[in-house]
Amino acid sequence: MALADTERAASTCADSGSPFSEIIELNVGGQVYVTRHKTLIAVPDSLLWNMFSKKSPKELARDSKGRFFLDRDGFLFRYILDYLRDLNLVLPDYFPEKSRLQREADFFQLRDLAKRLSPRVSKDNSISEEISQSDTEEGAQQCGSSGGAETLRTMSVSGAMRSPSLDSRKSGYITVGYRGSYTIGRDIQTDAKFRRVARITVCGKTSLAKEVFGDTLNESRDPDRPPERYTSRYYLKYNFLEQAFDKLTEAGFHMVACSSTGTCAYTSNDPNEDKIWTSYTEYVFCRE
């Protein structure tokens, strides 16, 4: 049905010389995006420009619902699309995936974007991951030619003297929670059958959660929350508590409290049958 709708929409061309519709649906690594045709061809000679101006709709891969399919990182494509809209790059605070986004920019043949994302190399061949080409250009525009150069020299010196990761750390709390269950056989403790943790949830300030867990944080439930807002809608892409604790420890957090609740139920109405215990546990971590 969606395929038929897409083919019908193709008759409403973005311009008289294009076989594509004005509004285009994309499936990028499982994430669905809806945008205008002119947005996709905003940068000449880019991969998307070649796809949607040099090829016909029949030549491009589609998913089962008729959307054009790209086998790339669906989360990072939102920044690619934002850049194509106005040729400007705005990244959130504590963005840990700049190198991966640069790889996506190279893949889509967006040379200017890839250049802005490339790490800045100083005279002593040291690489600063905190200052990118876009950061230097923005600083120069705000401070003027001489003032901007002086600002960059100051930032370079201070970056060499102090660790950027330490300077950017903020105090706060992160709560990690998980729900687990296990079954105990009839009066035999040794027959307990444990189920692995289904999902680890993360509650706290968005900027702190992104700083600690990076790309292991699933954002599909709450993608647009500002960095300084609190959320309880994040969860991790893995289900190993020890891995989450390691990341919190490496980021300077320590556990200050924990709590747990549990319930018991029978697998059937027969009290002699196996018992199923379900528990929910939360750990509170703090960084001062």
Side-chain angles (χ1 to χ4, degrees), residues 91 94-100 102 116-122 126-136 155 159 163-165:
L91 296 177
Y94 304 109
F95 186 72
E97 299 186 277
K98 188 174 290 186
S99 60
R100 293 182 60 187
Q102 181 187 358
R116 295 187 189 187
L117 291 167
S118 62
R120 181 173 176 266
V121 181
S122 63
S126 62
I127 298 177
S128 172
E129 295 184 357
E130 297 295 323
I131 305 174
S132 66
Q133 183 70 22
S134 59
D135 297 329
T136 59
M155 293 171 67
S163 171
S165 60

Side-chain angles (χ1 to χ4, degrees), residues 5 18 21 40 49 57 96 98 110 128 134 144 153 162 170 174 221 223 227-228 236 242 264 284:
D5 293 340
S18 174
S21 62
L40 297 175
W49 182 85
K98 188 174 290 186
L110 300 171
S128 172
S134 59
R153 284 195 294 272
R162 296 179 298 174
K170 294 183 179 181
I174 290 180
R221 298 181 63 197
E228 297 308 309
L236 301 180
E242 295 83 359
C264 177
V284 181

Side-chain angles (χ1 to χ4, degrees), residues 220-259:
S220 62
R221 298 181 63 197
D222 208 357
D224 299 317
R225 186 168 292 272
E228 297 308 309
R229 292 285 298 277
Y230 291 87
T231 179
S232 60
R233 295 173 62 83
Y234 287 143
Y235 60 90
L236 301 180
K237 297 179 181 178
Y238 52 83
N239 51 18
F240 298 101
L241 278 172
E242 295 83 359
Q243 187 175 349
F245 293 166
D246 284 343
K247 284 186 173 292
L248 286 161
T249 301
E250 292 168 1
F253 283 82
H254 62 277
M255 189 173 68
V256 294
C258 67
S259 63

Side-chain angles (χ1 to χ4, degrees), residues 93-111:
D93 294 336
Y94 304 109
F95 186 72
E97 299 186 277
K98 188 174 290 186
S99 60
R100 293 182 60 187
L101 182 56
Q102 181 187 358
R103 184 180 64 182
E104 294 300 301
D106 287 331
F107 174 82
F108 286 106
Q109 301 173 15
L110 300 171
R111 298 177 181 83

Side-chain angles (χ1 to χ4, degrees), residues 4-15:
D5 293 340
T6 304
E7 293 175 347
R8 286 197 299 270
S11 61
T12 307
C13 298
D15 54 65

